[in-house]
């Protein structure tokens, strides 16, 4: 069975979100019009919120998987 580490994936997603936020903040001083505000409000902010929600769910799944793994181990293991 292939081992899939959700913690590593969560970290990678967090890095992507941080990169997008940082790049956007660097862009805002140079692009400040109705289109940029539309993109931020209607695309960027919802995306980052969904990204955070996904990471929260993934963290909970990782915790449940670890608990299931512990529960399936023999008592003297």
């Amino acid at each position: 069975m292939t081992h899939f580490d959700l913690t590593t994936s969560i970290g990678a997603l967090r890095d992507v979100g941080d990169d997008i936020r940082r790049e956007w903040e660097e862009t805002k001083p140079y692009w400040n019009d109705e289109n940029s505000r539309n993109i931020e409000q209607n695309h960027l902010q919802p995306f980052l919120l969904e990204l955070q929600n996904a990471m929260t769910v993934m963290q909970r799944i990782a915790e449940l998987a670890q608990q299931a793994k512990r529960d399936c181990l023999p008592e003297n293991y």
Side-chain angles (χ1 to χ4, degrees), residues 36-74:
S36 69
R37 288 185 290 279
N38 174 49
I39 288 172
E40 183 173 21
Q41 182 177 14
N42 296 314
H43 302 284
L44 185 61
Q45 289 175 350
F47 170 76
L48 292 173
L49 179 60
E50 288 300 319
L51 184 63
Q52 182 59 50
N53 291 340
M55 289 186 300
T56 299
V57 170
M58 290 172 69
Q59 182 60 45
R60 181 66 180 137
I61 291 169
E63 292 165 3
L64 290 171
Q66 284 298 319
Q67 183 63 47
K69 184 177 177 181
R70 285 190 299 271
D71 289 350
C72 291
L73 290 174

Side-chain angles (χ1 to χ4, degrees), residues 4 27 30 32 45:
F4 182 72
T27 301
Y30 304 101
N32 187 11
Q45 289 175 350

Side-chain angles (χ1 to χ4, degrees), residues 14-32:
R14 184 174 294 113
D15 290 345
V16 167
D18 291 346
D19 288 347
I20 290 171
R21 280 185 201 88
R22 183 176 44 259
E23 293 294 333
W24 183 253
E25 289 304 317
E26 290 178 10
T27 301
K28 284 172 70 169
Y30 304 101
W31 186 30
N32 187 11

